[in-house]
């Protein structure tokens, strides 16, 4: 079939910014069948498959794209499924421009193939058209417990269940999905898609127990006593960080975790929701990652007139996914980069009424290789805001490490693992995702879950 | 599901529920809390554990109807179930080595003070309890406190029962009478805990308070329950809920507690109106 030599990606239809900033419906609408075919034809199916080596879960990208070209959508889905348990999620939230698409040969003289968009198309097409109920694998008689039902835990659960393990996933909240349900907003990842992925796992025999805070109601050692032969800890990011500047306890200051949880998990964006939230008119979001973009775009949809991203480095240094930054800009989010808060200001009733900031400039590169921001003396100024959302990262949750003797953590509190298979200092206990790395991405957490599932399988088999 | 095996009204706005939750009952300790959601679309609400029965596998909660969510909880009856019930959360109260303690409870806070008094009593500690209420109609847990206290002083604001005055009046009298306490444990409204702490600071008696701030997940994720203790940000859900009362910034906690006051009173009103409509229809 003829290749499509268009240097540009086939654009993905989106809701118009003026409309979408007033609703929580999904922003990106996905390729049509014809668009997917046309975009798939841009792939040169090159021998080295550089894209594949840049995928944290090593999806055989050129092969699934070739199936799309041949209009074998189920075949494409099967290829992705061999490597990824959550394709509909990854197609939407992976930072493709830094992974697979960054190595695409087509990217040298134009735009890379829209791999993420094609992955999403295949997963959505499968969800809408496939009638094959997933088969429950034959049991191998071994039990494994997974702590946390976020992307990492779900991936490990899926892989182990497919190998025949009896898997129980313990979730602290009332709903499974972890950051996919409490963190990432509906307009970026519709919850019905997450639910469908979870239902798929249940259909292959995975048990999900909600309302179970491991470390409190049961300990890791008790999970072993219950007959589990290995345990995977995928408990995620943990406690929100604050800046330790004056005013952070004023009313109207949120952590991004709290703000997003109220909106996403507790549905505070819906009329009649029982969980309250501030409907700020002027909102400052501190931070430049995906979580900051999510919070800013939620604030806009909650009716804010002005939403500022306050970030201490420059536009080029924003850690957020490129598409999120572009979408935020289209939705009139105001980027105050090279700006750092020094104080949150409040009125006599303890409500936020402003944020005092200082201008920054980029100095010498720091340990991370990024140029470190330095304050410009005397450049302080204030922005009038009534809500401040801190999206500057998290520190690991203490509940498991404080109740699991012999589980080593580093000085930040992250669980220490041995190499890539996720083995901790305790025999039979594996860990991965943000609980190990600190706040990172969905796909890296999935990659860790996948590697640990393989290691757990080997461990149990060798144990005899 | 978490079945209600017993429901009892303690006073016009405070009720008790015994909930079937065997795993939580097995682990619960005084000072810890649970989070419940009454129904499918309800808010997550933290409540301190008032009692537990490891053999029966039940956990007791005592709640005051203050907003939409507690009102919704109150619509459930014996035999029905709560949608969600998770715990035991937070750290248990530290009681080791205590020989003589004054336990101060204010209003519905007595529900949390009681299991601590009981635990102290059972381990052989001398317990002086002071329970304060606005008036006679609101007195709860008097018999329970009597059983586990070497002395019990009931105070009411209007003098309609016990002695007239505040819990701090009774506590100061006890201290002045020569009682030497290893620790004072105070649980009640923020303003009461603040004044107990001001008093005990004067006499240099270590004082533990139980904080009950706004919370969502209760597991160390949202950060909504943060408070300032000793100049540092701490999280009630994983670092508490018990803290050294002399270090807690009560004024800030009181401010933060009012964040959703308008929303709550609105929710209460609309819940009341719904009930009224229901009554009208039924009646």
């Amino acid at each position: 079939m003829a290749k499509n030599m268009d240097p540009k990606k086939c654009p993905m239809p989106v809701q118009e910014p003026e409309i979408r900033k007033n609703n929580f419906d999904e922003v990106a609408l996905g390729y049509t069948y014809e668009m997917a075919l046309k975009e798939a034809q841009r792939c040169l199916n090159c021998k080295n498959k550089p894209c594949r080596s840049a995928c944290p879960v090593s999806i055989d990208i050129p092969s699934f794209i070739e199936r799309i070209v041949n209009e074998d959508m189920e075949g494409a889905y099967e290829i992705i499924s061999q490597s990824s348990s959550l394709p509909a999620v990854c197609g939407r939230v992976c930072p493709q421009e830094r992974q697979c698409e960054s190595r695409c040969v087509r990217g040298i003289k134009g735009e890379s193939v829209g791999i993420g968009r094609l992955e999403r198309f295949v997963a959505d097409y499968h969800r809408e058209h496939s009638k094959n109920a997933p088969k429950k694998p034959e049991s191998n008689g071994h039990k494994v417990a997974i702590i946390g039902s976020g992307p990492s835990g779900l991936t490990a659960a899926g892989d182990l269940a497919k190998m025949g393990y009896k898997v129980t996933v313990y979730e602290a909240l009332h709903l499974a999905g972890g950051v996919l349900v409490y963190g990432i907003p509906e307009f970026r990842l519709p919850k019905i898609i997450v639910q469908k992925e979870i239902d798929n796992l249940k259909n292959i025999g995975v048990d999900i127990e909600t309302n179970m805070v491991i470390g409190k109601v049961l300990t890791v050692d008790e999970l072993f006593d219950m007959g589990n032969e290995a345990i995977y800890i995928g408990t995620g990011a943990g406690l929100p960080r604050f800046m330790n500047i004056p005013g952070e306890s004023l009313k109207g200051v949120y952590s991004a975790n709290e703000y997003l949880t109220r909106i996403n998990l507790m549905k505070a964006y819906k009329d009649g929701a029982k969980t309250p939230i501030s409907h700020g008119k002027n909102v400052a979001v501190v931070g430049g990652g995906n979580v900051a973009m999510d919070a800013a775009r939620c604030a806009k949809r909650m009716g804010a007139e002005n939403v500022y991203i306050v970030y201490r480095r420059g536009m080029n240094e924003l850690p957020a996914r490129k598409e999120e930054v572009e979408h935020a800009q289209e939705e009139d989010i105001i980027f105050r980069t090279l700006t750092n808060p020094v104080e949150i200001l409040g009125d006599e009733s303890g409500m936020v009424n402003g944020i005092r900031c200082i201008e920054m400039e980029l100095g010498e590169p720091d340990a991370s290789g990024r140029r470190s921001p330095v304050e410009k003396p005397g450049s302080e100024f204030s922005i009038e805001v009534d809500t401040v959302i801190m999206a500057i990262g998290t520190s690991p949750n203490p509940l498991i490490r404080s109740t699991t003797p012999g589980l080593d953590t580093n000085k930040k509190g992250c669980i220490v693992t041995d190499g890539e298979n996720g083995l901790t200092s305790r025999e039979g206990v594996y860990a991965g995702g943000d609980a190990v790395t600190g706040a990172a991405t969905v796909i890296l957490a999935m990659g860790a879950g996948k590697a640990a599932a393989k290691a757990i399988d080997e461990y149990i088999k060798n144990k005899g | 599901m978490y079945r209600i095996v017993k429901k009892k009204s303690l006073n016009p706005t405070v009720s008790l529920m015994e909930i079937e939750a065997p795993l939580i009952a097995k682990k619960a300790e005084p000072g810890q809390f649970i989070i419940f959601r009454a129904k499918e679309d309800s808010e997550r609400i933290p409540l301190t554990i008032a009692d537990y029965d490891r053999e029966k596998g039940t956990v007791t909660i005592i709640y005051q109807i203050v907003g939409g969510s507690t009102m919704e909880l109150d619509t459930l009856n014996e035999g029905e179930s709560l949608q969600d019930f998770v715990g035991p959360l937070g750290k248990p109260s530290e009681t080791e080595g205590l020989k003589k303690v004054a336990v101060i409870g204010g209003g519905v806070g007595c529900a949390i003070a009681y299991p601590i008094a009981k635990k102290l009593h059972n381990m052989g500690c001398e317990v002086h309890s002071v329970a304060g209420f606005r008036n006679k109609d609101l007195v709860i847990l008097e018999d329970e406190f009597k059983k586990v206290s070497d002395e019990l002083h009931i105070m009411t604001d209007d003098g309609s029962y016990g002695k007239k005055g505040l819990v701090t009046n009774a506590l100061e009298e006890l201290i002045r009478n020569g009682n030497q306490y290893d620790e004072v444990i105070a649980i009640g409204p923020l303003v009461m805990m603040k004044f107990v702490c001001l008093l005990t600071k004067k006499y240099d008696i270590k004082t533990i308070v139980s904080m009950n701030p706004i919370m969502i997940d209760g597991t160390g994720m949202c950060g909504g329950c943060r408070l300032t203790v000793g100049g540092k940000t701490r999280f009630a859900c994983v670092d508490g809920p018990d803290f050294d009362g002399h270090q807690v910034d009560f004024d800030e906690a009181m401010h933060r507690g009012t964040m959703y006051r308008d929303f709550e009173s609105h929710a209460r009103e609309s819940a009341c109106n719904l009930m009224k409509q229901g009554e009208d229809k039924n009646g």
Side-chain angles (χ1 to χ4, degrees):
Chain A
M1 191 168 301
K3 293 287 171 202
N4 169 1
M5 293 313 290
D6 191 330
K8 295 210 167 234
K9 276 181 202 175
C10 173
M12 176 148 62
V14 293
Q15 269 200 77
E16 286 305 314
E18 283 311 310
I19 296 168
R20 73 183 189 231
K21 66 189 189 187
N22 298 309
N23 69 48
F24 271 82
D25 299 339
E26 192 168 18
V27 168
L29 302 172
Y31 278 161
T32 60
Y33 195 92
E34 288 69 32
M35 288 172 183
L37 280 187
K38 206 172 126 202
E39 184 61 22
Q41 285 158 8
R42 290 185 66 233
C43 175
L44 302 177
N45 204 354
C46 49
K47 253 192 203 150
N48 306 335
K49 305 185 178 187
C51 49
R52 185 177 186 177
S53 58
C55 171
V57 295
S58 308
I59 294 174
D60 188 349
I61 294 163
S63 301
F64 97 73
I65 295 181
E66 192 182 18
R67 296 292 196 289
I68 302 178
V69 173
N70 296 334
E71 301 194 46
D72 172 14
M73 301 308 170
E74 264 315 295
Y77 182 78
E78 270 165 39
I79 289 172
I80 299 175
S81 293
Q82 283 163 16
S83 309
S84 168
S85 313
L86 309 166
V89 174
C90 291
R92 288 171 165 82
V93 305
C94 261
Q96 290 95 2
E97 74 274 10
R98 278 187 225 140
Q99 298 172 354
C100 51
E101 293 182 15
S102 73
R103 305 281 179 83
C104 177
V105 171
R106 292 297 307 263
I108 300 168
K109 284 188 183 162
E111 287 182 356
S112 65
V113 175
I115 301 169
R117 295 170 183 184
L118 291 173
E119 181 185 23
R120 170 186 164 149
F121 170 77
V122 170
D124 288 355
Y125 189 90
H126 170 80
R127 192 176 62 251
E128 284 152 22
H129 294 89
S130 171
K131 289 185 187 70
N132 307 340
K135 272 191 227 108
K136 208 166 171 171
E138 204 169 307
S139 164
N140 67 10
H142 296 281
K143 267 173 81 178
V144 176
I146 310 256
I147 309 173
S149 68
S152 188
L154 291 180
T155 301
D159 281 14
L160 286 163
K162 281 178 201 155
M163 296 176 207
Y165 288 91
K166 179 69 211 151
V167 179
T168 309
V169 180
Y170 294 96
E171 166 57 44
L173 292 172
H174 56 264
L175 200 62
V179 73
L180 307 176
V181 298
Y182 76 72
I184 302 177
E186 180 75 17
F187 57 81
R188 200 148 80 79
L189 178 63
K191 298 310 152 220
I192 191 162
I193 287 168
V194 180
Q195 193 49 53
K196 183 77 188 177
E197 301 281 13
I198 290 167
D199 289 345
N200 285 343
L201 291 181
K202 287 183 179 165
N203 287 336
I204 59 167
V206 173
D207 271 338
I208 298 185
E209 293 208 24
T210 52
N211 291 333
M212 294 292 282
V213 182
I214 303 303
K216 287 289 175 190
V217 71
L218 292 173
T219 62
V220 164
D221 287 289
E222 285 167 318
L223 291 175
F224 277 120
D225 295 343
M226 289 160 66
N228 291 296
E229 293 172 63
I231 289 163
Y232 180 67
I233 305 173
T235 47
L239 288 161
R241 284 216 183 95
F242 289 89
M243 292 183 73
N244 296 319
I245 56 174
E248 286 183 306
S249 293
L250 290 165
K251 286 183 279 182
V253 181
Y254 288 93
S255 75
N257 275 5
E258 180 183 358
Y259 189 74
L260 291 172
T261 300
R262 283 178 184 274
I263 291 176
N264 301 320
L265 180 71
M266 305 311 294
K267 311 281 174 227
Y269 69 90
K270 290 189 174 165
D271 281 344
K274 286 169 182 156
T275 293
I277 192 155
S278 133
H279 293 261
K281 284 281 159 247
N282 297 292
V283 179
V285 179
V286 181
N290 286 320
V291 174
M293 299 305 139
D294 285 346
R297 298 171 69 200
C298 280
K300 196 81 188 177
R301 285 162 173 76
M302 295 301 287
E305 282 157 22
N306 298 300
V307 181
Y308 306 91
I309 289 277
V310 177
Y311 179 59
R312 63 196 181 120
R313 301 178 200 253
M315 282 306 285
N316 293 330
E317 284 77 27
L318 285 167
R321 202 170 166 252
K322 191 165 154 250
E323 188 179 86
E324 308 314 323
V325 176
E326 287 168 3
H327 282 165
Q329 285 173 315
E330 289 165 11
E331 290 164 19
D332 298 328
I333 306 293
I334 304 157
F335 283 76
R336 302 300 291 260
T337 52
L338 290 168
T339 300
N340 208 28
V342 291
E343 184 181 358
I344 300 166
L345 310 167
D347 63 19
E348 61 285 351
S349 69
M351 290 295 302
V352 171
N353 66 5
I355 184 164
R356 186 124 186 99
C357 299
I358 187 161
E359 288 178 25
M360 310 292 276
E361 54 196 348
L362 291 180
E364 295 300 309
D366 63 10
S368 71
R370 292 186 299 179
R371 293 174 65 194
S372 56
V374 211
E375 291 184 356
K376 272 198 224 169
S379 65
E380 287 94 342
F381 65 99
S382 298
I383 311 173
E384 199 181 302
V385 294
D386 49 40
T387 304
V388 173
I389 300 166
M390 289 289 178
I392 54 169
T394 57
S395 60
N397 190 299
L399 295 185
I400 303 260
R401 68 167 187 262
S402 64
T403 54
T404 311
L407 184 73
D408 289 352
T409 51
N410 65 19
K411 63 174 190 283
K412 283 184 187 162
C414 296
I415 298 170
V416 177
T417 56
D418 176 23
E420 284 177 7
N421 65 14
L423 179 63
T424 68
S425 54
R426 281 281 306 264
E427 189 188 339
V429 180
Y430 295 75
D434 287 5
V436 168
T437 57
T441 59
V442 166
I443 187 72
L444 285 173
M446 285 183 51
K450 197 160 194 64
K454 193 163 159 264
I456 287 171
D457 179 48
E458 281 163 16
Y459 165 72
I460 292 179
K461 276 187 183 145
N462 291 335
K463 210 162 53 112
Chain B
M1 289 291 271
Y2 310 91
R3 203 166 57 93
I4 301 165
V5 296
K6 183 174 155 191
K7 182 180 176 186
K8 190 172 122 189
S9 168
L10 301 184
N11 76 29
T13 62
V14 177
S15 291
L16 170 153
M17 273 185 189
E18 207 178 311
I19 316 276
E20 211 169 64
L23 288 173
I24 303 175
K26 210 169 136 191
K27 285 290 176 72
E29 292 288 344
Q32 291 188 295
F33 64 95
I34 55 91
I35 285 192
F36 75 88
R37 282 201 317 155
K39 295 178 183 168
E40 174 91 51
D41 59 348
S42 300
E43 217 185 337
R44 291 173 68 93
I45 299 290
L47 270 184
T48 306
I49 293 169
D51 208 348
Y52 46 83
D53 187 327
R54 303 212 200 282
E55 270 150 38
K56 258 170 81 186
T58 59
V59 172
T60 303
I61 52 172
I62 293 179
Y63 57 94
Q64 181 167 28
I65 301 170
V66 287
S69 299
T70 35
M71 199 170 271
E72 201 172 40
L73 174 67
D74 201 52
T75 62
L76 298 175
N77 292 310
E78 271 180 24
E80 293 183 294
S81 293
L82 275 68
Q83 177 72 26
D84 298 293
F85 197 73
V86 54
L89 300 168
K91 291 182 177 167
S93 299
E94 285 174 23
T95 48
E96 215 180 293
L98 297 176
K99 299 274 184 289
K100 184 167 178 172
V101 173
V103 177
I104 319 293
V108 75
C110 290
I112 312 164
Y114 165 67
I116 299 171
K118 181 172 153 186
K119 182 170 181 191
L120 289 167
H121 174 78
N122 288 344
M123 57 184 251
C125 174
E126 186 177 347
V127 178
H128 291 180
S129 299
V130 180
F133 305 93
R134 283 213 309 277
N135 60 49
K136 188 183 174 189
D137 293 341
L138 302 180
V139 174
I140 58 169
L141 300 173
E142 186 181 1
D143 292 341
E144 285 83 352
F145 265 108
K146 250 185 211 157
K147 278 185 210 152
V148 300
S149 308
D150 297 272
E151 281 185 35
L152 171 64
H153 302 269
I154 294 200
M155 307 295 288
T156 50
D157 293 359
D158 63 357
S160 56
Y161 195 71
K163 263 194 195 165
K164 182 176 171 160
L166 303 171
V167 291
T168 39
N169 302 135
L171 177 62
E172 182 149 34
E173 202 181 317
L174 285 166
I175 297 169
R176 285 206 175 152
N177 287 344
N179 286 298
Q180 300 225 333
Y181 298 115
D182 299 335
E183 201 171 287
V184 170
I185 299 174
I187 302 161
L190 287 168
V191 62
M192 180 208 94
M193 295 195 284
K194 176 184 167 176
F195 280 96
V196 168
C197 289
L198 287 174
L199 175 71
T200 55
K201 186 133 201 198
K202 204 165 78 181
Y203 293 98
D204 198 24
I205 309 168
K206 185 179 174 191
T207 302
I208 299 296
V209 295
S210 176
M211 302 298 284
N212 187 11
I214 290 170
M215 206 176 265
I216 308 175
D217 65 298
T219 64
M221 189 270 280
C222 80
C225 66
R226 66 189 184 277
L227 56 158
T228 306
V229 183
K232 287 196 179 121
T233 297
R234 306 290 298 275
F235 300 95
C237 68
V238 291
D239 299 324
D242 285 3
F243 291 100
D244 177 348
H246 293 157
Q247 303 285 325
V248 171
D249 186 337
F250 284 105
D251 294 335
E252 178 191 287
M254 282 185 247
H255 264 308
R256 287 183 58 79
T258 63
M259 172 89 194
Y260 299 108
R261 191 180 274 163
D262 292 347
F263 186 95
E264 267 307 305
S265 58
H266 178 73
R268 189 172 52 218
E269 267 165 39
S270 45
C272 283
N273 289 338
L274 278 176
M275 275 187 225
K276 260 188 224 148
Q277 282 171 14
E279 278 164 21
D280 291 347
K281 271 181 202 153
N282 296 333

